[in-house]
Amino acid sequence: MQPILEERASRPPRLNGGAGGGAAGRAGDAVLLVASAAAAALIVLMLVVILVDALIHGAGTVSFAFLTKPPSGGMMAGGVGPAIFGTAALTIVMTIAVVPVGVLTAIYLSEYASPSSRLARIVRLAVANLAGVPSIVFGLFGLGFFIQAIGRGIDRVAFGGQVTYGQPALVWAALTLSILTMPVVIVATEEALRAVPRSLRDASLALGATKFQTTFNVVVPQALGGILTGAILAVSRGAGEVAPILFTGAAFFLPELPTNLNDQFMHLGYHVYVLATQSPDVDRTKPILYGSVLVLLGLTFALNFVAVIIRARTRRGAAARA
Amino acid sequence: MIEDLSNGTTGPRGKLAVRGLDVFYRVEKPKKGQPGENQALKAVDLDVGVNEVLALIGPSGCGKSTFLRVLNRMNDTVPGARVAGSVTLDGEEILAPKYDVVGLRRRVGMVFQRPVAFPKSIFDNVAYGLRAHGLSEKRELEWRVQQALTRAALWDEVKDRLDANGLGLSGGQAQRLCIARALAVEPEVLLMDEPTSALDPIATAKLEELIAELREELTIVIVTHSMQQAGRVSQRTAFFYMGSLVEVGTTRDVFTRPREPRTEDYISGRFG
């Protein structure tokens, strides 16, 4: 045993430049400590820089009027009201689409599929790969599948070929986003369901409850905190994504708020992109740009914060039960 | 008093009859040369009589819990478990693939080793099975919940806080809550898997008293690691070892003059 241990101990020093012995090993420890702490500090620093930068330049802009008024003066004045509305509408429709499908998929994977089931393996593989697809690809997919295939199909069948749904629209953008965020919901829900002890399921089944009753009366309520956390994380991820909605429904500027599922909409993230790249006068747009960034950040952080609180509460609950 | 139990295999008037029972569990990732299945029970023949308490004893892993879980088909929930042989309840084969398992579990209730209260109110815990079976009439529910809690000797302790969360009960109370929950659906047989192993001596004594009372109304099969407990609560005792039923007879016989040397070794504490 002894020689092997010595061999191990001498490895970091070799990477360090050849000094030998235990002292150098300890020096390696110190280096690693400093390096890892610095890396961790760097992450925090980045977040602080982003926040401070957005606050310094944007805080002066954000007011009640800014949050409610539409942009005006060639996007160089006014507010982000319609963009907030559009983001909210998009996120709500997305949530309605993603949560039921995601939760049901997770229930299938966790409660119904046998561990050796081939279908379950394929679903898990698909979910894992879906999570790795670049978001711009989702945008193109949404354009090709939802708008060109399904939307045009609906138009042909129900509207006599008149373009009604076969164009970028709130519903298509929301569905595209829901596919992007689906893995988050599925993985979080499945984990939450798996964390429910088997003894609870057994206790319910042994009382003559059916699997369905057991799942919906015992397992899902117990996992609700985790499921909600997953849903909120998905929402906050979806609220900030721009690439998937570029071609599927987001509009540069709209004089009116969307009222139908097949209307286009303004979106905070896209608005930021537009202000940053399409403005005729960058300097005059800057305060509004930073204000929009601040609002977008605030919205996302608020959602993440809610998710953290829910998770902490469920943890406490679980600890109290254990 | 129970009639002739001389051969031990058949108890008084039969409630459950087990014949040639084999249970296999699938081995995950078997090593080379290892079979893909583990046999947990081998050719077990055993009867359970009406209104008797049958104790199952034996060292850990001997198959007694597996045996218990076959009787209300809880083994169905174990992936890769396979059961062969015959188990009849009042003469009806319960291992038949098409047999109504949900209905079976209403007739054959179960109490587990660790008391698991649902994170619901005490009332809702006891009403859970009744509601699952479609009972929703409020007064009927209230009456049955009270009956069940009374029979489980818990009513006096909780009658003023039925709305309190079941998770707030002590270990002994929680186990009696689980018994009340099982009794609420009025089973004919109650299976108990080491019901006192998580309880202190006072709670254990209370529970044993309760078992003696319940015996008047239903049939009880209890797995226990405590020889004293088997002696106190059961009329007959079955000794399992390595998946086989070694010996079954009246509790007095099994403990005072066991026929098999392995039984004697186990009872006298030489192994297990």
Side-chain angles (χ1 to χ4, degrees):
Chain A
M1 278 318 278
Q2 206 53 35
I4 297 171
L5 284 174
E6 271 170 19
E7 166 73 12
R8 288 242 171 96
S10 67
R11 233 176 254 164
R14 229 185 282 152
L15 287 173
N16 264 341
R26 253 167 276 142
D29 263 357
V31 169
L32 187 60
L33 176 68
V34 170
S36 57
L42 194 66
I43 300 289
V44 176
L45 189 70
M46 289 298 170
L47 183 64
V48 169
V49 167
I50 292 174
L51 276 178
V52 168
D53 188 40
L55 273 172
I56 288 175
H57 295 95
T61 318
V62 178
S63 63
F64 182 71
F66 181 77
L67 292 176
T68 50
K69 288 261 162 52
S72 56
M75 307 283 255
M76 283 180 283
V80 292
I84 294 179
F85 181 87
T87 308
L90 175 75
T91 314
I92 290 170
V93 177
M94 177 200 82
T95 310
I96 293 171
V98 72
V99 170
V101 178
V103 169
L104 285 175
T105 306
I107 286 178
Y108 168 74
L109 288 176
S110 155
E111 306 299 313
Y112 285 91
S114 90
S116 53
S117 140
R118 172 172 276 186
L119 179 58
R121 271 218 306 277
I122 292 173
V123 173
R124 282 208 183 83
L125 199 67
V127 170
N129 282 301
L130 207 56
V133 173
S135 52
I136 189 71
V137 177
F138 282 105
L140 287 171
F141 162 79
L143 179 65
F145 180 73
F146 286 123
I147 297 175
Q148 309 235 345
I150 296 188
R152 295 253 165 97
I154 293 175
D155 287 349
R156 256 197 310 279
V157 173
F159 297 95
Q162 200 193 342
V163 174
T164 311
Y165 279 94
Q167 59 180 357
L170 181 61
V171 61
W172 303 135
L175 289 181
T176 307
L177 266 187
S178 72
I179 293 176
L180 174 94
T181 52
M182 191 76 72
V184 180
V185 176
I186 294 176
V187 169
T189 306
E190 201 191 343
E191 263 172 33
L193 292 174
R194 279 188 192 286
V196 176
R198 209 185 116 181
S199 54
L200 263 181
R201 293 182 176 86
D202 279 359
S204 171
L205 290 172
L207 287 168
T210 61
K211 185 137 193 173
F212 178 86
Q213 288 168 332
T214 302
T215 302
F216 285 94
N217 295 338
V218 173
V219 181
V220 169
Q222 185 78 357
L224 204 56
I227 296 175
L228 281 179
T229 310
I232 292 168
L233 288 179
V235 166
S236 85
R237 163 105 202 264
E241 280 285 348
V242 176
I245 61 171
L246 272 180
F247 320 118
T248 52
F252 186 87
F253 175 76
L254 288 172
E256 280 159 20
L257 296 176
T259 52
N260 279 314
L261 282 177
N262 64 340
D263 285 342
Q264 283 188 274
F265 58 97
M266 289 182 73
H267 182 271
L268 268 177
Y270 186 54
H271 194 60
V272 167
Y273 168 75
V274 167
L275 291 175
T277 60
Q278 313 291 307
S279 167
D281 186 340
V282 178
D283 284 332
R284 281 182 60 199
T285 326
K286 220 173 174 183
I288 297 180
L289 171 60
Y290 271 105
S292 307
V293 167
L294 200 57
V295 173
L296 182 58
L297 276 180
L299 196 75
T300 320
F301 283 169
L303 284 169
N304 281 330
F305 188 63
V306 171
V308 168
I309 287 180
I310 290 181
R311 192 158 38 186
R313 282 192 142 178
T314 9
R315 284 238 180 93
R316 259 209 305 281
R321 277 190 287 278
Chain B
M1 198 51 213
I2 292 162
E3 310 92 295
D4 174 38
L5 295 171
S6 50
N7 85 0
T9 304
T10 46
R13 200 154 55 83
K15 184 76 188 168
L16 284 154
V18 178
R19 291 290 176 273
L21 181 67
D22 294 313
V23 178
F24 304 87
Y25 291 126
R26 190 175 57 215
V27 178
E28 296 298 333
K29 295 182 188 137
K31 292 185 190 79
K32 227 172 145 187
Q34 193 187 357
E37 286 183 327
N38 252 338
Q39 189 160 7
L41 282 179
K42 296 166 195 159
V44 173
D45 296 331
L46 185 57
D47 284 3
V48 188
V50 175
N51 294 40
E52 77 164 340
V53 178
L54 171 69
L56 309 180
I57 61 169
S60 296
C62 67
K64 55 195 189 308
S65 287
T66 296
F67 179 82
L68 200 69
R69 291 172 68 94
V70 168
L71 299 182
N72 67 345
R73 293 207 26 198
M74 282 303 286
N75 266 341
D76 290 14
T77 66
V78 180
R82 191 163 64 81
V83 178
S86 156
V87 179
T88 56
L89 173 65
D90 289 338
E92 215 183 336
E93 177 61 56
I94 66 165
L95 295 184
K98 291 244 168 99
Y99 191 77
D100 171 20
V101 178
V102 168
L104 170 70
R105 291 178 187 150
R106 290 169 194 184
R107 294 175 63 192
V108 183
M110 190 161 201
V111 174
F112 297 89
Q113 191 170 351
R114 288 177 58 96
V116 180
F118 298 129
K120 303 171 185 286
S121 73
I122 292 171
F123 184 91
D124 287 344
N125 260 283
V126 183
Y128 183 87
L130 296 167
R131 288 194 174 122
H133 305 170
L135 187 70
S136 58
E137 212 266 305
K138 195 163 170 269
R139 299 198 45 184
E140 173 93 6
L141 272 178
E142 281 172 357
W143 188 78
R144 288 194 183 223
V145 167
Q146 179 177 351
Q147 287 297 306
L149 283 168
T150 308
R151 285 170 74 192
L154 189 60
W155 174 251
D156 288 335
E157 288 162 63
V158 301
K159 64 182 174 202
D160 298 324
R161 48 173 176 140
L162 292 175
D163 290 334
N165 198 312
L167 299 173
L169 296 175
S170 73
Q173 289 173 326
Q175 191 59 295
R176 276 178 285 148
L177 178 72
C178 292
I179 293 174
R181 203 166 60 186
L183 291 176
V185 297
E186 306 201 334
E188 300 154 35
V189 181
L190 193 58
L191 311 174
M192 304 178 116
D193 193 354
E194 297 180 45
T196 60
S197 65
L199 306 184
D200 64 60
I202 295 171
T204 300
K206 242 180 186 165
L207 202 77
E208 287 177 1
E209 229 170 86
L210 181 60
I211 291 171
E213 284 165 27
L214 289 175
R215 193 199 132 206
E216 321 239 307
E217 312 157 48
L218 39 86
T219 303
I220 295 174
V221 185
I222 179 171
V223 167
T224 176
H225 268 295
S226 154
M227 244 59 81
Q228 290 82 356
Q229 182 167 72
R232 285 190 297 262
V233 302
S234 72
Q235 284 76 55
R236 286 196 311 140
T237 296
F239 172 61
F240 282 78
Y241 184 63
M242 292 182 72
S244 300
L245 174 65
V246 175
E247 178 166 357
V248 59
T250 62
T251 298
R252 199 185 324 128
D253 283 352
V254 170
F255 280 96
T256 53
R257 39 191 167 92
R259 290 189 301 269
E260 294 281 332
R262 277 176 300 178
T263 314
E264 195 176 350
D265 287 351
Y266 181 70
I267 287 167
S268 55
R270 248 165 271 168
F271 75 95

